[in-house]
Amino acid sequence: MALNRRDFLRQSGILAGGAAVAAGFAPGMMQKKAHAAVEPASGETKEIRSVCTHCSVGCGVIAEVKNGVWVGQEPAFDHPFNKGAHCAKGASVREHGHGERRLKYPTKLVDGKWQKVSWDEAINEIGDKLLKIRDESSPDSVYWLGSAKFNNEQAYLYRKFAAMWGTNNVDHQARICHSTTVAGVANTWGYGAMTNSYNDIHRSKAILLIGSNPAEAHPVSLQHIFKAKEENNAPIIVIDPRFTRTAAHADHFLRIRPGTDVPIIWGMMYHIFKNGWEDKEYIRQRVYGMDDVKAEVAKWTPDEVERVTGVPENQVYAAAKAMADNRPGTFIWCMGGTQHTIGNNNTRAYCAFQLALGNIGVSGGGANIFRGHDNVQGATDLGVLADTLPGYYGLAPASWGHWARVWDLDLDWIKGRFDNTAYDKDGKEFYVGEYEEKDDAEHVMNTKGIPVSRWIDGVLEDKSLIAQRDVIRAMFMWGHAPNSQTRGQEMKKAMEKLDLLVIVDPYPTVSAVMHDRKDGVYLLPASTQFETYGSVTASNRSIQWRDKIIEPLFESLPDHIIMYKLAKKLGFADELTKHIKVENDEPLIEDITREFNRGMWTIGYTGQSPERLKIHQQNWGTFDFTTLKAEGGPADGDFYGMPWPCWGNPEMNHPGTPNLYDTSSSVAEGGLTFRARFGVERDGVSLLADGSYSRGSEIKDGYPEFSSDLLKKLGWWGDLSADEQTLAEGKNWKTDLSGGIQRVAIKHGCAPFGNAKARAIVWTFPDPVPIHREPLYTNRRDLVEKYPTYDDRKSFWRLPTRYGSIQAKDYSNDYPIILTSGRLVEYEGGGDETRSNPWLAELQQDMFVEVHPRDANNAGIKDGDDVWVEGTEGAKIKVKAMVTRRVAAGVAFTPFHFGGHFEGKDLRDKYPSGCDPFVLGEACNTAMTYGYDSVTQMQETKCTLCRISKA
């Protein structure tokens, strides 16, 4: 008899050995051990398709389910992203669904003890407290912190929920991972997302990674990087303060001092411009403001680059030449580049580098921004943010008007849900009637909320300094781990000051234990994404469909059901789900998909209907591994997951856009120009493309974004049907609910959003051309005068923000070591889920700090010693020392996935019984200090100062 692969492995004995075997064999070989379950005696085994819930690669998972029990797991061998590969986390996701350490029922803190309550009790008690706070302080005193772990439909419903409650105090993890990417990239060429894909890296001739460690953070992405290295002989350039597992594969490794991203990029561009390696014709046709960048770059001579970054000229030159000689080259970055007070400067410098070499809008090139969580891209797109509505529509009156039409709700009713006040640029408050006389005052509905990076200041700051009526009094931590955020001591104080803290998660998270509260805390068990279904967006903008694998375990509920139950209690359930079918308190996922399809014209989330997404999911194997284009089958011609923008309505059958801004394909076939987002001219100079246009365009030059007026001027208005004309009158490509303007523009070969130049200068940002500024806490005091930080700001995202007043003090004598942070391959995010997984927990049981031998010897520290790591603001953590040359002398590194210890104290006994993770440890962010990006309020986690001493 022929043996199938699984039977062969079982009979050959390879499946024995548990996690020890995991290091040496493919995940499919671990089935019986790592996914052990008692198999029912009878019943058909069903194979159910899902997507891994860890990083943003979006690997396919096959779950084997028998009699409703998840008994086995296989990686999807036909999936176009992972082709049968899994990392350690992906190989163990079954445990996430069936995990014994999950929160099993609603519970509340009473007299310092956890007490079980029913769902009805929890919803009623929480709802009564919320309504009381709303009445006493305004809707803004409740903070709705959402999650990158929502599926798209839940993310959309959550942002809509916050709008119905009446606040913009809503945010999620993207604020503290890639908000500076979105701001920098969107303000350079139009959209703030990954331009190409993991798969398109196969065509790269060079690969530059900065602040990115995919070997640990996105392991499956390496199969795509290695394919380019092996088949194209593509050199790999890694720029990082630490010799990472990724750097071990590099042809060029540039070890920079933390916080010097702009100088190293300008140092490379110095050689590019000096040698004439830039793509002059590309710049002429498609880039505005490169001369301003060139002038700044000229200041960064090799000597100055080495003085500031620590990298010698020969290494900088070699890396620049490798990128110049091997085009197209891709540029990959992650949180090492984004989590800085000048994070937006860093990301814009990366963009300028790629524009100079002509590497944007070409296959094999691009800005390949590897996102973190499985749906951090989707949750961002769907608007779980303090400064936008779904689709990045912003908070202007016209944006609210657009979504009021989509929701079929009266705009005045929505506005009436908000506090009826307004604020000027200095945060001065005006009440209704008064503010209408102030030209510079905006209604609170149209002002950015407090970002999650600063929620603790929203609680602790003097309310006279906050641009809302009162401080934050209630906090929802919904699918969010607080140990991923900085300033742990102050976070503990903020948690203790709140009237109400509600944690919604499959696991209790450190939110349940890091405070010393005795009451006012509720834990609500959310289901995992394997116990519900819906869509999820990978880092490359492909939208994938997940099927439900198992029914919700214990007393957990899917997030969208919890949202609906709360909305009923709070009095706006009918408005929340006006055109969404609800059955047994569950809003229908497909109806939610269709609703955001009707509204998200800006980024093209309009063509991916549930039906089209399900066809893609059931036909993974028909999509080409490199192009992602279906070759035959029911999705023939589509790109996998219809990466946005997927223009028009689903009936248009747009295939999706695999590579943004690629003019070599027609718009109808997934090609694009740069977006005309910044006007048509500046200071008399055109901002539109010059002689560059997408294939098949009837307009052979640059053009503005499409509107009803432009269609009429071009004589294309008659191409709309009568019904389309009615809906499109007075609208543009992103507010026309008929989709007709987009359809007609594409019919004539044009991009609906126009055809402009990318801009290398962003005149609306504090630093129009990216410049270097020293970190707030720096031990290079010799550089502060030449490269100072910003002045303090009075009212920024509703709060005062400190810069210069911190940098003015010299901490470097007492705190001489730069502290940075990053990821481990075994754990993800705040780590509560993965540290509760026995197969992962045994792989890394101790929180640690990497210390260079010189620093260890000077402090009398040996490998494995317990040490104190103390930050400049007084917080300290007790961890194991790992003495290693991965870090340079004067630099220390810690992972950020640990929690459950606080400043040397073990908090295990504070968890609800049976819900404590197997592995606990200090959160490195307890010791991480103040510091926020000048545009987005991204937290600074990559370069503060510390001292390390033996415990």
Side-chain angles (χ1 to χ4, degrees):
M1 288 177 58
L3 288 177
N4 64 29
R5 182 181 59 87
R6 197 176 314 131
D7 288 339
F8 169 78
L9 295 174
R10 185 181 297 116
Q11 293 184 22
S12 63
I14 293 177
L15 295 176
V21 177
F25 292 95
M29 299 179 181
M30 299 188 293
Q31 181 182 1
K32 296 300 289 185
K33 181 66 178 179
H35 306 293
V38 176
E39 294 193 12
S42 62
E44 179 186 356
T45 299
K46 297 180 180 178
E47 293 190 349
I48 299 175
R49 296 178 172 225
S50 189
V51 175
C52 179
T53 55
H54 291 295
C55 83
S56 66
V57 174
C59 297
V61 174
I62 302 291
E64 297 172 350
V65 179
K66 203 170 194 177
N67 291 346
V69 179
W70 189 353
V71 298
Q73 175 193 336
E74 293 284 353
F77 283 84
D78 62 345
H79 192 279
F81 293 162
N82 60 305
K83 286 290 184 184
H86 265 338
C87 70
K89 294 187 290 288
S92 62
V93 291
R94 178 195 164 276
E95 183 68 27
H96 183 30
H98 281 309
E100 64 183 79
R101 315 306 282 182
R102 282 178 55 172
L103 185 64
K104 298 171 181 64
Y105 44 76
T107 184
K108 68 176 179 179
L109 198 59
V110 180
D111 250 350
K113 302 292 184 184
W114 294 109
Q115 182 181 101
K116 180 180 179 180
V117 293
S118 70
W119 271 105
D120 285 345
E121 287 177 290
I123 294 294
N124 283 326
E125 291 177 14
I126 291 167
D128 288 342
K129 293 174 189 290
L130 294 176
L131 292 170
K132 183 173 185 289
I133 291 169
R134 179 188 178 91
D135 182 59
E136 293 174 352
S137 296
S138 90
D140 288 322
S141 285
V142 179
Y143 199 103
W144 300 94
L145 175 51
S147 182
K149 292 302 179 191
F150 292 152
N151 63 33
N152 283 325
E153 290 72 21
Q154 292 162 343
Y156 170 79
L157 197 66
Y158 196 75
R159 184 57 181 95
K160 188 178 180 183
F161 182 106
M164 302 297 99
W165 171 257
T167 188
N168 292 324
N169 281 339
V170 55
D171 220 9
H172 81 289
Q173 288 93 336
R175 179 69 52 201
I176 56 173
C177 62
H178 272 294
S179 61
T180 47
T181 289
V182 175
V185 177
N187 279 282
T188 298
W189 47 58
Y191 285 144
M194 186 170 181
T195 62
N196 293 40
S197 68
Y198 296 102
N199 302 67
D200 188 67
I201 295 171
H202 304 174
R203 292 174 164 172
S204 298
K205 301 295 179 62
I207 301 160
L208 191 157
L209 303 100
I210 187 167
S212 174
N213 182 18
E216 298 202 69
H218 312 87
V220 174
S221 71
L222 283 182
Q223 72 172 328
H224 302 291
I225 292 172
F226 289 161
K227 188 174 172 67
K229 181 177 177 64
E230 292 163 6
E231 295 181 359
N232 306 334
N233 199 27
I236 296 177
I237 302 106
V238 172
I239 303 175
D240 204 282
R242 178 172 170 257
F243 189 75
T244 63
R245 293 184 183 180
T246 303
H249 298 287
D251 299 275
H252 303 268
F253 172 57
L254 281 60
R255 189 194 293 275
I256 60 171
R257 178 172 65 94
T260 58
D261 297 61
V262 171
I264 197 67
I265 296 302
W266 285 171
M268 292 173 70
M269 290 181 70
Y270 179 92
H271 295 292
I272 288 169
F273 288 133
K274 180 180 178 181
N275 291 283
W277 294 336
E278 73 272 27
D279 189 330
K280 298 179 181 63
E281 181 61 9
Y282 180 97
I283 293 169
R284 184 191 70 78
Q285 289 187 316
R286 303 193 69 186
V287 183
Y288 171 86
M290 189 59 81
D291 286 343
D292 296 282
V293 168
K294 198 170 183 177
E296 178 64 24
V297 165
K299 302 173 185 177
W300 288 95
T301 62
D303 286 347
E304 185 67 358
V305 171
E306 183 169 4
R307 182 172 84 97
V308 175
T309 71
V311 183
E313 178 182 5
N314 65 312
Q315 293 182 20
V316 179
Y317 174 86
K321 191 172 191 303
M323 288 295 289
D325 287 350
N326 298 279
R327 295 184 236 189
T330 191
F331 197 125
I332 299 167
W333 74 81
C334 291
M335 291 188 285
T338 63
Q339 291 182 330
H340 295 273
T341 53
I342 58 166
N344 78 86
N345 287 16
N346 293 346
T347 61
R348 289 186 292 125
Y350 307 158
C351 293
F353 182 93
Q354 285 294 76
L355 289 171
L357 292 179
N359 276 334
I360 298 297
V362 295
S363 181
N368 279 320
I369 305 141
F370 291 4
R371 304 296 298 250
H373 293 280
D374 59 315
N375 201 35
V376 70
Q377 183 64 57
T380 304
D381 298 337
L382 274 298
V384 187
L385 295 164
D387 55 335
T388 76
L389 291 168
Y392 309 95
Y393 274 82
L395 300 172
S399 300
W400 282 106
H402 169 74
W403 281 104
R405 290 193 301 275
V406 175
W407 295 333
D408 190 22
L409 295 174
D410 181 72
L411 180 58
D412 287 337
W413 178 85
I414 300 172
K415 187 173 183 178
R417 299 292 298 167
F418 284 75
D419 189 26
N420 208 4
T421 56
Y423 299 85
D424 66 14
K425 59 183 173 56
D426 293 321
K428 184 179 179 183
E429 184 175 0
F430 299 93
Y431 291 93
V432 62
E434 273 186 88
Y435 70 81
E436 292 172 357
E437 301 170 9
K438 298 283 294 183
D439 292 336
D440 61 349
E442 291 184 293
H443 190 276
V444 71
M445 179 187 192
N446 306 119
T447 65
K448 294 180 288 193
I450 294 172
V452 64
S453 53
R454 303 289 307 280
W455 78 266
I456 54 180
D457 294 313
V459 178
L460 300 175
E461 186 62 83
D462 185 328
K463 74 177 182 179
S464 67
L465 300 177
I466 306 177
Q468 61 183 48
R469 194 185 295 268
D470 202 350
V471 297
I472 295 168
R473 295 176 54 190
M475 185 75 191
F476 270 77
M477 288 200 166
W478 203 316
H480 183 97
N483 50 320
S484 62
Q485 291 185 234
T486 57
R487 300 165 60 200
Q489 283 184 333
E490 289 165 286
M491 185 177 298
K492 179 177 182 292
K493 290 177 186 175
M495 286 181 170
E496 291 165 353
K497 186 180 177 185
L498 290 166
D499 292 31
L500 176 66
L501 175 61
V502 182
I503 299 136
V504 191
D505 206 278
Y507 295 83
T509 79
V510 233
S511 313
V513 300
M514 69 181 289
H515 52 77
D516 289 326
R517 297 182 67 107
K518 299 298 182 185
D519 52 34
V521 182
Y522 290 80
L523 304 179
L524 304 182
S527 302
T528 69
Q529 287 299 316
F530 300 122
E531 296 155 275
T532 184
Y533 71 102
S535 65
V536 57
T537 306
S539 193
N540 74 308
R541 297 168 285 107
S542 284
I543 304 177
Q544 304 190 80
W545 195 262
R546 281 190 182 120
D547 285 337
K548 182 192 288 186
I549 295 175
I550 51 176
E551 292 301 318
L553 292 185
F554 312 114
E555 294 183 28
S556 68
L557 291 175
D559 296 288
H560 55 296
I561 293 181
I562 303 172
M563 293 174 206
Y564 183 77
K565 285 179 176 292
L566 268 171
K568 275 204 304 185
K569 171 65 180 178
L570 299 174
F572 53 83
D574 290 345
E575 290 81 7
L576 183 70
T577 59
K578 185 172 183 180
H579 295 291
I580 298 167
K581 182 180 178 181
V582 178
E583 190 171 324
N584 297 324
D585 284 351
E586 180 169 12
L588 183 64
I589 288 290
E590 288 87 348
D591 280 359
I592 303 175
T593 314
R594 294 185 186 99
E595 184 168 292
F596 67 65
N597 285 160
R598 288 197 297 272
M600 292 175 65
W601 302 97
T602 39
I603 57 173
Y605 258 77
T606 52
Q608 309 96 338
S609 66
E611 293 76 17
R612 294 186 76 190
L613 291 171
K614 291 174 184 179
I615 287 171
H616 282 222
Q617 183 220 39
Q618 291 302 313
N619 294 277
W620 285 340
T622 65
F623 295 89
D624 182 86
F625 187 45
T626 295
T627 66
L628 293 178
K629 191 171 187 177
E631 299 177 306
D636 187 29
D638 285 356
F639 296 98
Y640 178 64
M642 293 158 285
W644 64 260
C646 181
W647 298 112
N649 56 38
E651 291 70 36
M652 263 184 64
N653 283 313
H654 189 270
T657 306
N659 298 328
L660 292 174
Y661 323 118
D662 184 354
T663 58
S664 69
S665 295
S666 68
V667 179
E669 295 170 334
L672 271 184
T673 53
F674 286 130
R675 183 175 169 186
R677 189 177 182 181
F678 317 113
V680 296
E681 70 171 27
R682 176 169 170 77
D683 297 331
V685 178
S686 174
L687 298 177
L688 299 180
D690 186 358
S692 173
Y693 46 88
S694 52
R695 186 173 66 83
S697 175
E698 294 182 20
I699 303 177
K700 309 296 184 184
D701 209 346
Y703 48 85
E705 63 180 10
F706 276 80
S707 64
S708 59
D709 288 344
L710 183 59
L711 287 186
K712 291 173 183 177
K713 289 177 182 177
L714 293 169
W716 297 350
W717 182 250
D719 291 352
L720 296 172
S721 69
D723 289 343
E724 286 175 333
Q725 287 181 356
T726 299
L727 288 171
E729 183 63 54
K731 303 295 190 302
N732 61 33
W733 65 283
K734 54 186 181 288
T735 57
D736 167 25
L737 298 186
S738 78
I741 291 177
Q742 290 194 4
R743 181 183 64 79
V744 170
I746 294 169
K747 174 186 173 183
H748 291 274
C750 298
F753 60 33
N755 178 15
K757 292 180 176 180
R759 59 174 182 174
I761 175 172
V762 181
W763 49 85
T764 54
F765 279 14
D767 299 320
V769 174
I771 63 173
H772 173 61
R773 293 181 183 272
E774 276 293 296
L776 301 190
Y777 293 99
T778 177
N779 57 8
R780 288 296 302 274
R781 303 304 300 179
D782 56 311
L783 297 175
V784 169
E785 183 177 356
K786 187 173 182 180
Y787 304 110
T789 188
Y790 308 95
D791 293 333
D792 291 358
R793 300 179 71 171
K794 184 177 180 183
S795 183
F796 183 48
W797 292 79
R798 301 194 183 186
L799 292 162
T801 306
R802 299 169 63 203
Y803 291 100
S805 61
I806 291 177
Q807 195 181 71
K809 183 176 178 181
D810 183 358
Y811 294 87
S812 60
N813 290 327
D814 293 329
Y815 302 91
I817 296 176
I818 301 172
L819 180 63
T820 189
S821 66
R823 294 175 181 262
L824 300 175
V825 70
E826 298 88 353
Y827 297 142
E828 191 248 355
D832 302 282
E833 167 197 327
T834 42
R835 286 183 287 104
S836 297
N837 185 321
W839 313 107
L840 298 172
E842 70 174 295
L843 300 177
Q844 181 60 57
Q845 299 181 30
D846 294 306
M847 169 61 173
F848 61 91
V849 59
E850 293 183 358
V851 188
H852 189 274
R854 174 181 292 276
D855 299 316
N857 292 337
N858 288 339
I861 294 168
K862 293 184 173 59
D863 190 70
D865 282 351
D866 287 335
V867 297
W868 287 105
V869 180
E870 184 178 352
T872 56
E873 292 170 3
K876 60 183 181 179
I877 57 176
K878 186 179 180 182
V879 300
K880 295 287 186 185
M882 177 185 286
V883 180
T884 174
R885 296 184 187 275
R886 290 179 189 169
V887 291
V891 176
F893 166 87
T894 62
F896 71 88
H897 310 295
F898 289 82
H901 291 179
F902 194 85
E903 296 195 301
K905 184 179 179 182
D906 188 330
L907 308 179
R908 189 176 292 277
D909 62 348
K910 296 178 71 173
Y911 283 89
S913 178
C915 294
D916 49 319
F918 293 111
V919 170
L920 303 182
E922 292 272 14
C924 76
N925 282 314
T926 298
M928 286 291 180
T929 48
Y930 193 98
Y932 300 98
D933 175 66
S934 62
V935 172
T936 71
Q937 294 283 268
M938 165 70 78
Q939 65 184 8
E940 171 69 82
T941 66
K942 300 307 179 190
C943 47
T944 186
L945 295 178
C946 72
R947 64 183 171 210
I948 302 174
S949 58
K950 193 169 181 177

